[in-house]
Amino acid sequence: MSQEGQLQKGLKIRHLTMIAFGGSIGAGLFVGSGAIIQMTGPAAVVTALLAGILVILVMRMLGEMVVAKPSLGSFSDYAREALGNWAGFTVGWLYWYFWVIVIAVEAIAGAQILRDWLFPNMSLWALNLILLVALTVTNIFSVKAYGEFEYWFSLIKIVAITLFLTLGGAYIFGLLPGTEMHLSNLTAHGGFIPKGPGIVFIAVATIIFSFVGSEIVTIAAAESVESEKAVVKAVNSVIVRIMTFYVGSVFIIVSVIPWNDAKALTNPYVSALKVMGMPYADTIMNLVVVTAVLSCLNSGIYTASRMLFALGDKGDAPKWITQVTKRGVPLKAILTCTIFGFISVIMAFVSPDTVFQFLLNSSGAIALFVYLLIAISQLILRKKMEREAPERLKLRMWAYPYLTILASLSIIAVITTMAFNASTRSQFTLSILSAIVVVILYAIKTNISKKNSINANILKPEITKLD
């Protein structure tokens, strides 16, 4: 039986720690890094470093706000408090939209990998449905079940990346038997920056989407009794995670594989492991990539449903969205997100080059919009917090307000780069359109609410008179 109520605080510190770690290791790292390397050459290491620094700054700002004022809607609520209801409405719905599309993308990717690897005779439709149903059931059972699955998914990813970095480091520095130092690929094929310094900065707009997910822990923290401790730990460790997992692994790949070997970079981790002499590299990396995809799908359903729940709690989504089961699970919010995700999957089969491509492009820059509003919110709320309750600032943004302003300007620069880059221009344009549509919907909602309020005030005296 559903009822309006509270979400269950079933996540433990170990769950939140792994959610934080796993959030920054998505399928984009294992598959998408090859495209970045082809775009920039060995200087992809610098591109990953720049994108990583930007995400680290955003996470520090977000961590400051979450520790000072824990909130179910996380950055949606902070945007609302700092900039007004329109900002909370816009951030919440854009972020929800982003993750609903992620659900579809990860379901499709997972089904494709599983069919190519294990089930060649099964249809993609069936595999998509199985994956979506399986992880929806996981989320419906309890938040602890989501946390437990994410714990093990993340653990597999972390172990895989750690082993890759260890083996790769030993290989390129000549520490393995029969090997010598392998750093010539960094300069042998046109130099370290073969396509010029400009592309190094332009590519930040492409690689930064692989980092999206680090902020999930600030949403999940609302369902833990140890939220403050977990957020502090996650924010403090984000530097090590990003610098090690992303920058470190990209460095290994460009050192082992020539950046202009397009065939090898279609599956960079498998190719690198084969060069190092690792047996069964294909099977190992297929397992890891499938795990990464399932992790993203699991987190996508969770994150989208919690943001939708938070919107309902603020009156920005239908109130029935906030109904929870006896286990404290927002069943209707989860099912709504899964349904929208599956509709997107259907569009990928029915109209892959028009409708589905439109959905992908229209969500392309949304994460950057959200990050920008996080920075602006922190800039405003920090002043308010210092004035009203400075004792709550237990975790502080470094060099405030200078680094906050620098991060904001950097995000604006990345968004602007998307507008002038032919490969990302459509994403920029359609994402701007998505944001405009959401703001218009907020204006319509506000107008309807005002009219209903006026009508209620007009009718109230008449009702009183009749009584």
Side-chain angles (χ1 to χ4, degrees):
M1 187 72 178
S2 293
Q3 57 186 355
E4 283 184 31
Q6 298 294 316
L7 296 176
Q8 183 189 55
K9 291 186 178 293
L11 294 176
K12 297 180 180 178
I13 191 74
R14 69 182 182 89
H15 295 136
L16 291 173
T17 300
M18 282 300 180
I19 289 169
F21 270 78
S24 55
I25 313 174
L29 171 63
F30 298 108
V31 181
S33 54
I36 298 297
I37 292 168
Q38 290 182 70
M39 185 187 298
T40 61
V45 177
V46 179
T47 299
L49 180 63
L50 292 173
I53 289 171
L54 197 54
V55 173
I56 287 167
L57 293 178
V58 171
M59 280 296 293
R60 185 75 185 190
M61 288 183 270
L62 186 53
E64 177 187 284
M65 293 186 287
V66 172
V67 172
K69 195 172 184 180
S71 174
L72 171 65
S74 187
F75 38 86
S76 173
D77 287 347
Y78 304 134
R80 188 186 308 276
E81 184 179 349
L83 299 167
N85 287 332
W86 71 270
F89 181 95
T90 303
V91 169
W93 278 111
L94 285 177
Y95 196 70
W96 173 84
Y97 179 57
F98 174 84
W99 279 104
V100 165
I101 303 303
V102 168
I103 291 170
V105 170
E106 298 300 338
I108 293 165
Q112 187 69 59
I113 293 167
L114 286 173
R115 190 177 73 166
D116 294 344
W117 180 30
L118 298 173
F119 308 106
N121 297 321
M122 281 192 72
S123 68
L124 284 174
W125 278 94
L127 286 169
N128 269 298
L129 187 60
I130 289 169
L131 291 179
L132 276 170
V133 169
L135 291 174
T136 298
V137 169
T138 299
N139 276 268
I140 286 173
F141 187 74
S142 70
V143 70
K144 186 178 180 181
Y146 156 73
E148 203 62 42
F149 269 82
E150 198 55 33
Y151 176 87
W152 291 106
F153 284 153
S154 295
L155 186 61
I156 290 171
K157 291 188 289 184
I158 290 166
V159 169
I161 285 288
T162 303
L163 290 175
F164 178 80
L165 291 170
T166 303
L167 181 63
Y171 177 82
I172 64 176
F173 290 109
L175 301 178
L176 294 179
T179 62
E180 56 186 26
M181 192 169 288
H182 287 77
L183 295 173
S184 60
N185 281 329
L186 294 175
T187 55
H189 307 280
F192 185 70
I193 314 177
K195 296 190 176 183
I199 194 67
V200 175
F201 297 96
I202 291 171
V204 171
T206 303
I207 197 173
I208 198 167
F209 297 106
S210 297
F211 293 84
V212 176
S214 298
E215 71 285 346
I216 292 174
V217 68
T218 67
I219 296 172
E223 293 180 78
S224 172
V225 293
E226 303 174 286
S227 59
E228 183 180 311
K229 184 178 178 182
V231 170
V232 171
K233 189 174 182 179
V235 170
N236 287 336
S237 65
V238 73
I239 300 174
V240 176
R241 285 184 279 128
I242 287 177
M243 294 305 168
T244 304
F245 297 147
Y246 274 88
V247 181
S249 60
V250 169
F251 175 75
I252 297 292
I253 291 169
V254 295
S255 299
V256 174
I257 304 171
W259 72 269
N260 54 358
D261 188 344
K263 185 178 180 181
L265 288 173
T266 54
N267 205 333
Y269 283 79
V270 170
S271 299
L273 287 172
K274 285 182 175 179
V275 171
M276 296 176 212
M278 170 68 73
Y280 308 110
D282 294 58
T283 301
I284 292 169
M285 285 314 301
N286 274 330
L287 175 62
V288 174
V289 172
V290 166
T291 301
V293 167
L294 293 177
S295 174
C296 286
L297 182 54
N298 192 37
S299 290
I301 294 170
Y302 173 82
T303 308
S305 64
R306 274 15 179 222
M307 187 55 74
L308 188 58
F309 183 93
L311 287 165
D313 189 57
K314 296 295 182 181
D316 289 336
K319 200 65 179 175
W320 52 263
I321 287 291
T322 62
Q323 292 177 348
V324 299
T325 64
K326 291 179 180 178
R327 291 179 177 270
V329 173
L331 175 64
K332 293 184 177 180
I334 291 170
L335 293 178
T336 300
C337 296
T338 302
I339 290 168
F340 273 92
F342 194 65
I343 290 171
S344 298
V345 169
I346 293 171
M347 290 301 104
F349 287 95
V350 175
S351 183
D353 299 323
T354 51
V355 177
F356 189 66
Q357 195 60 44
F358 170 83
L359 292 174
L360 286 177
N361 288 338
S362 63
S363 65
I366 283 175
L368 286 170
F369 297 162
V370 172
Y371 282 179
L372 179 59
L373 284 169
I374 288 173
I376 295 171
S377 299
Q378 190 269 339
L379 190 66
I380 295 170
L381 294 182
R382 171 66 174 268
K383 288 183 179 179
K384 182 180 178 183
M385 197 67 65
E386 286 179 334
R387 186 174 61 250
E388 296 177 359
E391 71 281 357
R392 286 158 64 179
L393 289 168
K394 299 175 184 177
L395 182 72
R396 292 172 180 259
M397 174 60 184
W398 306 297
Y400 174 85
Y402 307 108
L403 272 183
T404 299
I405 294 170
L406 178 61
S408 302
L409 293 175
S410 299
I411 295 169
I412 292 170
V414 173
I415 294 171
T416 305
T417 298
M418 293 183 71
F420 290 97
N421 185 1
S423 63
T424 56
R425 189 175 297 125
S426 62
Q427 294 180 30
F428 169 81
T429 304
L430 291 175
S431 296
I432 289 286
L433 179 62
S434 297
I436 290 171
V437 168
V438 173
V439 172
I440 290 172
L441 288 174
Y442 172 75
I444 293 170
K445 171 191 171 290
T446 304
N447 190 44
I448 292 172
S449 297
K450 284 181 180 178
K451 285 183 178 179
N452 289 339
S453 179
I454 291 169
N455 290 336
N457 288 332
I458 291 171
L459 290 171
K460 192 173 181 181
E462 294 295 330
I463 294 169
T464 305
K465 191 175 179 181
L466 287 170
D467 288 344

